């Protein structure tokens, strides 16, 4: 069986350090993702996907595979079977080109779901970083 993948590219005004912080800071991810991603972000460390609703419930997590601040972060990710998500950050004029690559997806249904979720999440990240606020209607609530 061939492994499927999903790629998404978005440009965010700012610099790579700011985007890196938004991807790795628990308070920031809690704001734009609705889950606080908690880790020390060292290779081999675990990361937890903790609900930002105050419940403390953990909805998955994984292992940090690569962590090269502020250019690349790769993690195992809790899909049906663990998959891998990589965020590559590249300075581009006065913005950052963020390329998200989600690999090792098992089937078309998972791939289709991932292809809907990541653009919504990363658009909310872009809005959060460029305006200081998240979208009025959380993008995941409409999927």
């Amino acid at each position: 069986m061939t492994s499927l993948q999903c790629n998404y590219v978005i440009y965010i005004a700012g610099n790579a350090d700011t985007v890196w912080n938004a991807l790795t800071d628990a308070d920031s991810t809690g704001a734009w993702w609705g889950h606080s991603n908690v880790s020390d972000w060292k290779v081999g460390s675990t990361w937890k996907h903790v609900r930002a609703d105050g419940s403390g419930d953990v909805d998955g997590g994984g292992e940090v595979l690569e962590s090269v601040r502020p250019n690349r972060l790769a993690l195992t990710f809790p899909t049906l079977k663990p998959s891998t998500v990589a965020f590559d950050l590249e300075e581009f004029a006065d913005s950052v080109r963020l390329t998200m690559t989600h690999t090792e997806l098992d089937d078309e249904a998972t791939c289709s779901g991932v292809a809907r979720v990541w653009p919504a999440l990363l658009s909310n990240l872009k809005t959060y970083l460029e305006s200081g606020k998240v979208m009025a209607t959380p993008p995941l609530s409409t999927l």
Side-chain angles (χ1 to χ4, degrees), residues 113-130:
V114 163
R116 283 191 316 274
V117 169
W118 280 117
L121 283 172
L122 296 177
S123 293
N124 207 28
L125 168 63
K126 176 181 174 66
T127 300
Y128 174 72
L129 288 176
E130 292 180 353

Side-chain angles (χ1 to χ4, degrees), residues 77-97:
F77 200 81
T79 48
L80 294 175
K81 277 183 24 183
S83 54
T84 301
V85 173
F87 300 98
D88 290 294
L89 308 172
E90 181 182 354
E91 301 268 345
F92 184 82
D94 61 348
S95 62
V96 174
R97 179 177 27 231

